[in-house]
Amino acid sequence: MKYLLAFVSFLYYCQNVIKCQQNATNVKIDVYYETLCPDSIQFIRQKLYPTFGKIGEIMDINLIPYGKAEHTQYREDVEIYCHHGSKECEGNTIQSCAIKYLDNNMTIVLPFVNCMENRFYGRYRPHISTIANECAITHGINYTQIQSCSASLEGKRLHIKNGERTQRLSPKLTFVPWVVINDAFTETDQNVALYGDFKTLVCDKYQGKTPPNSCNS
Ligand SMILES: *[C@@H]1O[C@H](CO)[C@@H](O)[C@H](O)[C@H]1NC(C)=O
Ligand SMILES: *[C@@H]1O[C@H](CO)[C@@H](O)[C@H](O)[C@H]1NC(C)=O
Ligand SMILES: *[C@@H]1O[C@H](CO)[C@@H](O)[C@H](O)[C@H]1NC(C)=O
């Protein structure tokens, strides 16, 4: 009975969480961010993406674009107000759809997200959908489903789901990006992630037997 339960819950985990692609010993990194937030752009370009390039095999990354947005029921509809305006909502929605349609596979998602954030860097009002489309082409991603998702209610629902997840955070998010490692937020991890040696932080949190060689260099 015990084994059966364990097996059933394993199956449940596999089907519902991340399709069995993530390792139990890996470092879980949840990034709550906003697509047009300068600090988020900086974290993705300078910390998350380069670190993934070095020790990606021990990182289980979850991207949650929403941040300090707000959503409220308005008659039949839900209105979302993003921290950096409607263009940010567009960016958040496109990335929410990309995460879904690229099966949360960070080997594909992260170069795409990083490409978008690179193009947003230092720009006041970037043309979001053009940039997304160009980044998809650059990275050999079929943009059809991401496009139709982000232009429909499906994209909005995914964005709202990210909002609900963000609002369930404990402690509550007070800064963006907000980096939660192995399901526990600490000020120290947050500060090291954003301003310190993120790679060493991730290597230190790794529970597996053999850390990748890049952890030692
Ligand atoms: C993720 O994508 C890469 C690149 O296409 C592929 O090699 C890898 O098998 C994918 N991972 C999973 C778990 O599907
Ligand atoms: C899981 O960990 C093993 C052993 O470190 C590694 O060979 C494998 O590539 C990892 N799988 C993924 C999806 O990261
Ligand atoms: C892109 O995906 C769509 C929908 O899944 C499919 O119909 C189309 O053939 C794909 N295009 C390419 C170039 O693979």
Side-chain angles (χ1 to χ4, degrees):
M1 189 59 199
K2 210 167 98 187
Y3 296 107
L4 181 65
L5 258 178
F7 181 65
V8 169
S9 53
F10 174 72
L11 282 182
Y12 181 82
Y13 178 83
C14 287
Q15 282 173 4
N16 290 283
V17 187
I18 25 235
K19 298 189 173 167
C20 279
Q21 59 175 280
Q22 306 196 336
N23 262 329
T25 54
N26 276 2
V27 186
K28 188 178 173 213
I29 299 158
D30 300 335
V31 181
Y32 295 82
Y33 69 109
E34 298 163 350
T35 46
L36 293 186
C37 155
D39 293 300
S40 298
I41 293 173
Q42 178 165 314
F43 175 68
I44 291 167
R45 298 173 73 229
Q46 295 183 357
K47 305 286 181 168
L48 189 67
Y49 185 65
T51 302
F52 184 76
K54 291 180 190 130
I55 53 166
E57 70 265 38
I58 63 164
M59 298 166 79
D60 288 346
I61 299 171
N62 296 293
L63 296 175
I64 306 107
Y66 184 86
K68 291 185 176 173
E70 287 173 15
H71 61 274
T72 48
Q73 190 76 33
Y74 181 75
R75 297 199 187 144
E76 302 292 277
D77 202 11
V78 178
E79 285 286 339
I80 311 178
Y81 303 93
C82 288
H83 196 187
H84 300 88
S86 62
K87 278 182 174 276
E88 180 163 84
C89 280
E90 198 183 343
N92 289 354
T93 306
I94 289 170
Q95 292 186 8
S96 303
C97 290
I99 292 159
K100 173 174 177 183
Y101 283 100
L102 302 174
D103 294 324
N104 199 38
N105 184 338
M106 287 301 143
T107 307
I108 309 170
V109 172
L110 214 52
F112 173 71
V113 165
N114 183 62
C115 173
M116 285 180 70
E117 300 305 326
N118 270 324
R119 298 275 306 271
F120 296 162
Y121 175 69
R123 295 220 168 68
Y124 176 52
R125 290 182 70 76
H127 200 294
I128 311 287
S129 60
T130 304
I131 288 173
N133 198 2
E134 287 169 3
C135 283
I137 293 168
T138 301
H139 292 284
I141 292 166
N142 183 339
Y143 194 60
T144 311
Q145 282 178 307
I146 300 171
Q147 155 68 31
S148 57
C149 164
S150 57
S152 71
L153 201 56
E154 184 189 13
K156 193 173 188 179
R157 289 208 179 105
L158 291 171
H159 193 195
I160 292 167
K161 224 165 128 187
N162 286 338
E164 288 163 351
R165 185 165 170 192
T166 304
Q167 287 165 356
R168 279 196 303 272
L169 275 170
S170 173
K172 295 222 168 293
L173 166 153
T174 57
F175 192 84
V176 177
W178 188 254
V179 182
V180 180
I181 300 182
N182 288 337
D183 294 313
F185 176 85
T186 75
E187 291 272 350
T188 311
D189 289 352
Q190 163 85 1
N191 285 329
V192 175
L194 267 61
Y195 311 113
D197 186 346
F198 184 51
K199 191 190 87 176
T200 299
L201 176 71
V202 176
C203 287
D204 287 348
K205 301 260 180 194
Y206 179 60
Q207 301 289 315
K209 285 192 191 106
T210 42
N213 287 334
S214 327
C215 276
N216 304 317
S217 57

